[in-house]
Amino acid sequence: MQTGNVTTPFGRRPMTLALVKGQLATANIKAGKSVDKWKVYRSACEARAMLGLRDRALAVLNALLTFYPEQELSEESNLIVFPSNAQLAIRANGIAGTTLRENLALLVQAGLIQRNDSPNGKRYARKSNDGGIETAYGFSLAPLLARSEELAVMAHQVAEESRRLRVIKERITITRRDIRKLISAAMEEGAAGNWQSVEDALVSAIARLKTAKTAVSLEACLDELTLLSEEAVNMLEVQLIPQESDTNDSGNRHHIQNSNTESLNELEPSSGKEQGERAVQKPRAPAVPIKAFPLGMVLRACPQISDYASGGVISNWRDLMTAAVVVRSMLGVSPSAYQEACEAMGPENAAVAMACVLERAGHINSPGGYLRDLTRRTERAEFSLGPMLMALLRANETSGRRLA
């Protein structure tokens, strides 16, 4: 235990436990430790948002560092600088006295400097017989040396967050451009579909984008725009990609249906006598498969599905499909209804639909009937998961803001 390394401020400035903690931490600097003072200063500048500092406070810190004669902050040297307020104000670009004192207090509060006040509150140094500084009263720069690694990590985190924001904004710009040009092309060339509703959804998404400032809110906007882009592409894909010949299509369809059935059987055995199985299966026209959406987006829109996964974690599509079967059983949806959904939508999107049903379970009287209705609408090309996922994403974002 170390003693004698805690000092209290002069005058009416109060002592706090945070100041005690900071002084104890700087008293335990590793012997021989040193760091370039301007490197630490740059880290503090980059991490100023996390430290709660403004530009004026950093200008004052810069001025304090100029009074330290060496390039390296060293544990073996005197780390206390003792300029007067007048000297500090000159080196801080002529800052006013009141503003100077406010920003010195902010630097102390942020834990970047410490006060080492004299008995009368003045800043000065007493020299020994050999001319060296024996005792100094002023501001200690020891916290910068003690926290040099921490400040470097904080600066790196800020840089990474800035990079992440830049990437998200770039993707938002590209996705907005894609949607806008797809809508224009579809309307100008008379493509079938309710393109006005896509236009309205885009305008609404852009309006929300204007108020988004954080990475989380911007990412939610990107998710919404991505879903809208997928919707536009799917609407055009149905019309523009020619269907194969009846013979090839029949063979391919038979193969796909067998593949889906095998996937379902791997997850859960089914029987013709199970509840909801129809006595006579009517042949259905081949449905145009809808694309699977990004798994991360699905989990943000439907977070409850993770509760039904092994270990409470969904890391791939297989985990999602397995959890969807558990949810199917829990909600009382018959195996036949779920299998029909898999054949119409594809197993991945059927699992997404099941996750959406789980999120809205409190508003759905018959989950099985609801899923069958989605299946029929998918077969008639009247339904896509995009709008449902977008609505859930917006709802979760709104509830998250309220909780925050």
Side-chain angles (χ1 to χ4, degrees), residues 84-95:
S84 66
N85 281 356
Q87 292 173 316
L88 263 179
I90 292 172
R91 295 201 188 181
N93 304 319
I95 191 172

Side-chain angles (χ1 to χ4, degrees), residues 50-226:
M50 297 179 70
L51 293 168
L53 294 176
R54 52 199 182 197
D55 293 344
R56 285 289 183 89
L58 294 171
V60 173
L61 179 61
N62 179 286
L64 283 170
L65 287 171
T66 63
F67 286 97
Y68 183 79
E70 306 297 331
Q71 180 74 15
E72 298 275 326
L73 295 174
S74 174
E75 180 270 340
E76 298 175 348
S77 303
N78 169 59
L79 292 171
I80 297 175
V81 293
F82 39 89
S84 66
N85 281 356
Q87 292 173 316
L88 263 179
I90 292 172
R91 295 201 188 181
N93 304 319
I95 191 172
T98 302
T99 307
L100 174 66
R101 289 189 291 273
E102 288 176 357
N103 286 286
L104 284 170
L106 286 175
L107 290 172
V108 173
Q109 184 178 345
L112 296 186
I113 61 173
Q114 289 173 358
R115 295 183 184 275
N116 189 36
D117 289 344
S118 66
N120 61 5
K122 301 294 184 180
R123 298 176 206 141
Y124 61 88
R126 181 178 294 111
K127 295 185 177 180
S128 61
N129 293 331
D130 60 3
I133 294 178
E134 182 179 62
T135 306
Y137 298 103
F139 294 104
S140 173
L141 303 176
L144 289 174
L145 178 60
R147 300 181 64 189
S148 59
E149 296 88 356
E150 178 191 352
L151 292 171
V153 170
M154 293 171 70
H156 177 72
Q157 290 174 343
V158 170
E160 281 297 303
E161 183 68 9
S162 177
R163 185 195 65 81
R164 180 187 171 203
L165 276 173
R166 188 164 58 251
V167 170
I168 292 174
K169 289 178 179 178
E170 288 173 355
R171 291 175 60 192
I172 285 174
T173 299
I174 293 172
T175 307
R176 282 179 60 179
R177 181 187 67 198
D178 291 346
I179 298 170
R180 172 61 62 196
K181 293 197 172 184
L182 286 173
I183 293 173
S184 298
M187 288 183 168
E188 289 172 4
E189 300 184 31
N194 189 358
W195 293 102
Q196 186 58 51
S197 66
V198 180
E199 169 76 19
D200 293 341
L202 177 60
V203 171
S204 177
I206 292 174
R208 281 187 287 275
L209 182 61
K210 292 178 179 178
T211 61
K213 302 298 180 184
T214 65
V216 174
S217 58
L218 285 170
E219 198 166 46
C221 291
L222 176 59
D223 287 343
E224 184 174 355
L225 288 169
T226 301

Side-chain angles (χ1 to χ4, degrees), residues 264 270 274-278 281 284 328 332-345 350 354 367-376 379:
L264 284 173
S270 60
E274 289 174 307
Q275 180 183 1
E277 184 73 18
R278 291 179 297 176
Q281 296 288 339
R284 294 192 294 270
R328 176 207 68 71
V333 177
S334 68
S336 63
Y338 189 59
Q339 182 166 331
E340 289 169 11
C342 288
E343 292 171 357
M345 304 177 185
M354 202 71 255
Y370 186 78
L371 184 63
R372 286 189 188 277
D373 179 62
L374 296 184
T375 301
R376 301 293 174 265
E379 292 168 350

Side-chain angles (χ1 to χ4, degrees), residues 274-346:
E274 289 174 307
Q275 180 183 1
E277 184 73 18
R278 291 179 297 176
V280 179
Q281 296 288 339
K282 296 181 181 179
R284 294 192 294 270
V288 178
I290 53 181
K291 295 181 180 179
F293 297 97
L295 181 60
M297 185 185 301
V298 172
L299 295 179
R300 283 194 292 273
C302 309
Q304 294 184 51
I305 190 72
S306 297
D307 296 338
Y308 299 87
S310 176
V313 176
I314 292 177
S315 55
N316 52 53
W317 282 101
R318 181 70 181 180
D319 292 344
L320 179 68
M321 290 187 286
T322 303
V325 171
V326 177
V327 172
R328 176 207 68 71
S329 177
M330 186 269 295
L331 292 179
V333 177
S334 68
S336 63
Y338 189 59
Q339 182 166 331
E340 289 169 11
C342 288
E343 292 171 357
M345 304 177 185

Side-chain angles (χ1 to χ4, degrees), residues 243-254 286:
Q243 298 298 314
E244 297 181 5
S245 64
D246 290 344
T247 303
N248 291 338
D249 189 55
S250 176
N252 289 338
R253 193 160 63 248
H254 178 70

